[in-house]
Amino acid sequence: MTQTLPRPDAVIFDIGNVLITWQPEGHYDRWIGEDRRRAMFAAVDLHGMNEQIDAGGDFRTVIYDTAAQYPEFSQEIRWWHDRWLDLATPVIDRSVRSFHALKARGIPVFALSNFGRGSFALSEGRETFLKDFDRRYISGHMGVTKPDPRIYEMVEQDCGLAPNRLLFVDDRAENIAAAQTRGWQGHVFTSPDTWVACLIATGLLDEGDV
């Protein structure tokens, strides 16, 4: 027998690749060419560098220290900091519209994102909708990243809602799996259209809202 899930009391958005495109390789391809980009990403663990920032490391310091270790690519590595707003773009329009539609219906909307303190400050300065969440759980401020169970526990303790009343959307299956282990409802983001269909299926939005 299929269990019917309760209507969520709040929706929790990941940000990267759900609300804002996060595909740095494509931007570097345009800046330095695919061959040099592949060589750089093979030599330097740039995503690991970014994870240090997401966990609370200083945005500029982590990147510039990494750049100093790889003189061949030092300038390009520093661009991760210096050209951040060119890396974290564009917004995913229909996903952002779903965010606004939920807000318009009075449904609490939270953010839960692996994002650095300094990089998030830059992004919210341009993408001002990031300031409109009812609650924001940003890993750089929390000192823990998804999918560590602790970050989900911190969200539960802060918002006070039952886990099965939380609907979480994230592009990484392991992050959704960790949330579901705690009883959260989850949706692995693959496209804004399937995400909107999920919101309609749960009764949070209607056809035509987005």
Side-chain angles (χ1 to χ4, degrees), residues 16-34:
N17 287 329
V18 174
L19 292 167
I20 299 174
T21 304
W22 175 241
Q23 300 291 338
E25 289 87 346
H27 294 291
Y28 272 101
D29 283 352
R30 288 189 289 275
W31 297 342
I32 62 177
E34 183 177 352

Side-chain angles (χ1 to χ4, degrees), residues 94-177:
R94 198 171 191 217
S95 292
V96 176
R97 284 189 280 125
S98 76
F99 164 83
H100 289 304
L102 291 165
K103 292 282 291 181
R105 282 180 169 257
I107 297 162
V109 182
F110 308 157
L112 174 57
S113 186
N114 287 352
F115 220 128
R117 290 169 294 167
S119 50
F120 185 77
L122 282 175
S123 288
E124 72 171 347
R126 180 179 65 189
E127 319 301 358
T128 56
F129 72 87
L130 294 175
K131 299 179 180 180
D132 295 336
F133 286 100
D134 296 287
R135 295 173 187 260
R136 302 192 303 187
Y137 303 103
I138 304 302
S139 66
H141 291 281
M142 300 169 78
V144 60
T145 59
K146 299 173 294 184
D148 189 316
R150 176 61 181 150
I151 199 168
Y152 304 96
E153 181 183 5
M154 292 169 75
V155 171
E156 294 163 14
Q157 291 173 342
D158 182 75
C159 74
L161 296 174
N164 69 345
R165 297 283 181 169
L166 302 172
L167 173 59
F168 178 41
V169 56
D170 193 295
D171 68 307
R172 298 183 68 94
E174 64 268 29
N175 294 341
I176 293 295

Side-chain angles (χ1 to χ4, degrees), residues 37-60:
R37 186 271 298 172
R38 286 184 180 277
M40 180 174 72
F41 275 71
V44 187
D45 184 7
L46 291 165
H47 287 287
M49 175 190 74
N50 200 66
E51 287 169 6
Q52 294 180 51
I53 297 163
D54 289 346
D58 182 77
F59 183 35
R60 187 182 188 278

